[in-house]
Amino acid sequence: MDSLKRKDSPVKEGPTKRRKKQNNGIKKPTSAYLYFVSDYRMVLKKKGKEINRVQEVAKLCGAAWKSMTDEEKAPYTAKYSNDRARYLKEKEALDKRMGKDPTKPKRPQTGYFFFLGEFRKEMAGKTLEDGEKIPSLAGEKWRDMTPERRKRYDEMVELDKLRYEKEMNEWRQSQPEPAKEPAKKKQIVVEEPESSDEDDDDDSDDDDSDDDDKSDEGDSD
């Protein structure tokens, strides 16, 4: 009966929600731009600007970041590099505790993720409207992209697959061979002496009754 109910239950319609990635407790590295924003907010505060106005502060920070030279950005880039090294070190330690091999090559990326990496760099320092997020903007742009423009990312995927296969072959050669399990001894089955005909008849009746009980229980479910 339960199986019939499950079949008759209506199927939920609408877009499926993406599963959230499980938080591993490790803080991701802070970008160079966010380090700059933290400092520049203090500069704006000293100038008497109201730093509580998020959109206004974001525009000012974005404009200031764009006008900076690579040398002026260098201190913030160095902070990001140090924080990224911290993140990778903590992640490697976690992977070891979880039984993961940090030396194992990364799987090939999809075309969208290659595009997303470029899109993030393109949008760095730009002001977003209320409610806008880079992943959603990237998704819209990716969906509207023509097959001709996507061809470039498809080629990047094929190259990354070759990279993965090559690194995996090298990785497998560096792994120790698994220890062979000892051969299991064959178990000798000792047959029991045949019972009398009267015993067989009694046992068969008992088994049939048990089977009937079990079949009835299955039907009731």
Side-chain angles (χ1 to χ4, degrees):
M1 294 296 291
D2 291 342
S3 59
L4 291 175
K5 290 179 181 178
R6 283 194 293 270
K7 289 180 182 177
D8 295 336
S9 59
V11 179
K12 293 182 179 179
E13 296 181 356
T16 56
K17 292 183 179 179
R18 294 177 63 185
R19 288 193 303 172
K20 291 184 179 179
K21 289 186 177 180
Q22 199 171 14
N23 186 8
N24 56 16
I26 301 175
K27 182 184 176 183
K28 290 190 174 182
T30 303
S31 67
Y33 176 68
L34 288 181
Y35 276 118
F36 162 75
V37 169
S38 179
D39 287 351
Y40 198 67
R41 283 171 62 89
M42 296 299 101
V43 174
L44 294 175
K45 188 175 182 180
K46 289 179 181 178
K47 290 181 178 180
K49 299 284 185 180
E50 294 186 16
I51 61 174
N52 292 331
R53 296 182 178 179
V54 179
Q55 289 298 321
E56 184 179 344
V57 171
K59 289 179 181 179
L60 293 172
C61 289
W65 179 257
K66 285 182 184 177
S67 65
M68 291 171 66
T69 63
D70 290 340
E71 291 181 0
E72 291 172 327
K73 291 179 181 180
Y76 302 106
T77 305
K79 286 184 178 181
Y80 164 71
S81 298
N82 291 335
D83 199 27
R84 186 171 184 272
R86 182 270 315 163
Y87 169 76
L88 293 175
K89 185 177 180 181
E90 291 180 4
K91 190 174 183 299
E92 182 178 348
L94 177 64
D95 288 343
K96 286 181 179 179
R97 290 199 302 271
M98 299 293 290
K100 296 180 182 179
D101 188 348
T103 64
K104 192 172 183 179
K106 291 185 178 180
R107 291 183 176 275
Q109 294 193 55
T110 63
Y112 172 71
F113 275 97
F114 279 116
F115 162 74
L116 180 60
E118 293 181 353
F119 188 76
R120 287 185 184 278
K121 292 179 181 178
E122 180 186 333
M123 296 296 293
K126 290 186 179 180
T127 305
L128 301 179
E129 299 295 332
D130 288 336
E132 286 185 337
K133 293 182 179 180
I134 287 180
S136 58
L137 293 174
E140 291 176 8
K141 194 170 182 180
W142 177 257
R143 285 191 292 271
D144 296 338
M145 191 179 296
T146 61
E148 289 76 16
R149 290 192 63 189
R150 284 196 188 188
K151 188 176 179 181
R152 173 170 164 266
Y153 299 103
D154 293 337
E155 292 172 353
M156 294 170 72
V157 171
E158 293 303 317
L159 289 174
D160 201 30
K161 285 180 180 178
L162 294 175
R163 182 271 314 164
Y164 175 72
E165 291 176 3
K166 180 183 177 182
E167 291 181 359
M168 278 299 295
N169 288 332
E170 294 173 354
W171 180 79
R172 289 191 188 100
Q173 292 175 3
S174 66
Q175 299 304 302
E177 293 185 3
K180 294 182 179 180
E181 295 183 0
K184 294 182 179 179
K185 294 181 180 180
K186 292 184 178 180
Q187 294 182 349
I188 301 174
V189 179
V190 180
E191 295 183 359
E192 296 182 0
E194 293 183 1
S195 59
S196 63
D197 294 339
E198 292 180 359
D199 292 338
D200 289 342
D201 292 339
D202 293 340
D203 292 341
S204 61
D205 291 340
D206 291 340
D207 293 340
D208 290 341
S209 63
D210 290 341
D211 292 339
D212 291 339
D213 292 340
K214 290 176 182 177
S215 62
D216 289 341
E217 290 174 4
D219 292 339
S220 63
D221 292 339

